[in-house]
């Protein structure tokens, strides 16, 4: 997405352009004078960046130790990434994935607040991953869908209790024997919650310029992936500085 405007004699300008809110994360501004000046920053309310395990994942995401990167696991049938499992061991899962372990144990929180152990079998190059649950049923009713995450129950009786009139009467369908589930494993880089922490301490904090350059546009001699990786690395460094100095809690 792009747009242009002419600045006034003080260098001020106003420009409007449309962008997909669910995808936009950075903004680049080029002042086309001689020499030209290029600035790149994060937009307010930046959309989370998502990377599928088994596809190309930037090293800065795989090696991130700041705590910003989260791992979310979805039923492979959930094409829109809307209903992640409630996994309690995010940090240990990230460490296991970083070491490319093929099997790891984790805990999944059920809808009735019980916790069940599960195993994640990761296929790093094939993009084929399986979540092995000891036992479970999955509610596929409308009431659960509106809550925005996969509602798992330890057994059919627990699900039936959930569907009672005083709880979730709209839930009338269930997937039984929900045990060996083909899943997608997604790295999520979402800096907005961290930005909100920072601005609570420093209300007037502004997004930093991640990259600035003079001369030819970076897009003209860097691939999109190269530029995105460089922006991502600078973003990580900036947040890590805030975390390491104690300005925001990790």
């Amino acid at each position: 997405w792009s747009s242009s405007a002419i600045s006034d004699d003080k260098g001020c300008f106003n420009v409007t352009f449309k962008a997909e809110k669910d995808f936009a994360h950075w903004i680049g501004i080029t002042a086309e004078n001689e020499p030209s000046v290029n600035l790149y920053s994060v937009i307010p309310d930046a959309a989370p960046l998502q990377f599928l395990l088994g596809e190309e994942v930037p090293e800065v995401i795989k090696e991130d130790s700041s705590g910003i990167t989260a791992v979310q696991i979805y039923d492979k049938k959930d094409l829109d990434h809307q209903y992640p499992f409630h996994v309690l061991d995010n940090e240990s899962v990230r460490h296991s994935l970083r070491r490319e372990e093929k099997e790891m144990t984790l805990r999944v929180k059920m809808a009735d607040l019980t916790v069940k152990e599960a195993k994640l079998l990761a296929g790093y190059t094939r993009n084929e991953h399986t979540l092995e649950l000891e036992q479970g049923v999955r509610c596929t009713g409308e009431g659960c869908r509106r809550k925005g995450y996969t509602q798992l129950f330890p057994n059919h009786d627990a699900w039936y209790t959930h569907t009672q009139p005083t709880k979730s009467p709209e839930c009338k369908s269930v997937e039984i024997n929900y045990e060996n589930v083909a899943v997608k494993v997604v790295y999520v880089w979402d800096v907005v919650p961290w930005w909100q922490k920072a601005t609570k301490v420093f209300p007037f904090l502004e997004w930093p310029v991640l990259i600035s350059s003079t001369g030819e546009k970076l897009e003209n001699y860097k691939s999109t992936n190269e530029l995105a990786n460089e922006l991502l690395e600078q973003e990580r460094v900036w947040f890590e500085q805030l975390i390491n100095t104690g300005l925001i809690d990790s």
Side-chain angles (χ1 to χ4, degrees), residues 167-204:
K167 293 187 177 180
S168 189
E170 298 167 288
C171 291
K172 302 182 185 301
S173 57
V174 65
E175 186 175 347
I176 61 174
N177 298 325
Y178 195 72
E179 296 169 358
N180 295 314
V181 187
V183 296
K184 295 172 288 188
V185 180
V186 182
Y187 289 94
V188 180
W189 175 264
D190 185 3
V191 295
V192 169
W194 299 79
W195 175 251
Q196 291 170 344
K197 287 182 182 181
T199 52
K200 280 184 180 179
V201 181
F202 303 101
F204 302 107

Side-chain angles (χ1 to χ4, degrees), residues 22 47-52 56 72 74 80-81 186-189:
D22 291 341
L49 302 178
Q50 300 188 10
F51 305 91
L52 274 173
E56 186 174 350
Q72 293 184 344
Y74 299 84
D80 297 324
H81 295 191
V186 182
Y187 289 94
V188 180
W189 175 264

